[in-house]
Amino acid sequence: MALETTRSSPFPPGFCISTSRLNISPFDPDSSIHAGFLVRLWNTDDFINSCGRTSITNPEKASIFIRNRVLQQYTVNQHGMFLVSLKNKDTLPATPIGTVSLMKGSPPDLHYTAPDIGFAILPEHSGKGYAVEAAKGVLEWAQSHLGIEAVFGFCDPSNQRSRRVLENIGMDFRGITGLRVFGAKTTAIYALPGMSKDLAIYGLDELDK
């Protein structure tokens, strides 16, 4: 097991991106609720079928992953993977239902310079527009607070649910191809309107070139 690295979140206490039905907040490695939820979400059949099986099989592993990987993204990029929670009435705490992310690789690994947006919602909460609402909320925050104007969306070409979400948040379909950063995997590519049609500008090279 990887050694745990001491990191702290760059977000102020209580930071939250609020939408009409959702709270979008940073992950806390010291929260047993956050760690337990990540284990639950990433081990659903829906997530495994879409993203593959991970090594996050218990709360301890989830907490280490959040501290070492998620907080690193926060520190380096001021964005990363966030917890999506359903607002409850009165004083009840919000209920975790999924994640939404703006992720970007870093050198020396193969990487691209614009982040890509991702989302995962528990099966029992899917089909209610939460992924679209969360993705729109994060995009609007990233554009207004971080000045981010270039964002990609990637998914398996056969994943119609993810493709509908990307289309519903206003992204343009840029085709299906194999990208070097993803090896031989064929990928459906989406991008925000106004981004260059030359993907190489963002560090994305097609395998066939």
Side-chain angles (χ1 to χ4, degrees), residues 10-50:
F11 298 107
F15 174 84
C16 178
I17 302 167
S18 180
T19 68
S20 61
R21 299 180 294 173
L22 305 171
N23 286 333
I24 303 167
S25 56
F27 271 89
D28 179 358
D30 297 320
S31 169
S32 60
I33 293 175
H34 290 195
F37 175 75
L38 194 60
V39 174
R40 179 186 173 195
L41 177 68
W42 281 10
N43 287 280
T44 60
D45 289 340
D46 270 12
F47 185 90
I48 293 171
N49 291 336
S50 176

Side-chain angles (χ1 to χ4, degrees), residues 111-126:
H111 64 287
Y112 35 94
T113 57
D116 68 273
I117 193 159
F119 34 82
I121 302 293
L122 286 173
E124 59 265 36
H125 292 285
S126 65

Side-chain angles (χ1 to χ4, degrees), residues 66-122:
I66 293 168
R67 189 175 302 280
N68 288 353
R69 299 287 297 278
V70 178
L71 291 192
Q72 181 187 42
Q73 283 279 327
Y74 293 164
T75 301
V76 173
N77 298 317
Q78 284 71 58
H79 55 75
M81 183 176 71
F82 296 96
L83 180 68
V84 176
S85 299
L86 184 63
K87 292 178 179 177
N88 289 321
K89 296 180 180 179
D90 303 323
T91 59
L92 294 174
T95 303
I97 63 167
T99 61
V100 63
S101 61
L102 277 178
M103 303 295 289
K104 186 169 64 172
S106 58
D109 298 325
L110 287 173
H111 64 287
Y112 35 94
T113 57
D116 68 273
I117 193 159
F119 34 82
I121 302 293
L122 286 173

Side-chain angles (χ1 to χ4, degrees), residues 161-204:
R161 285 194 300 176
S162 290
R163 295 184 67 171
R164 282 195 297 270
V165 172
L166 295 173
E167 291 164 3
N168 286 337
I169 64 175
M171 303 192 92
D172 293 334
F173 176 55
R174 294 294 184 84
I176 296 173
T177 189
L179 296 174
R180 195 171 304 281
V181 72
F182 297 137
K185 186 175 181 180
T186 301
T187 303
I189 304 170
Y190 289 80
L192 286 180
M195 290 174 61
S196 173
K197 295 186 181 299
D198 182 3
L199 299 182
I201 289 176
Y202 308 100
L204 288 172

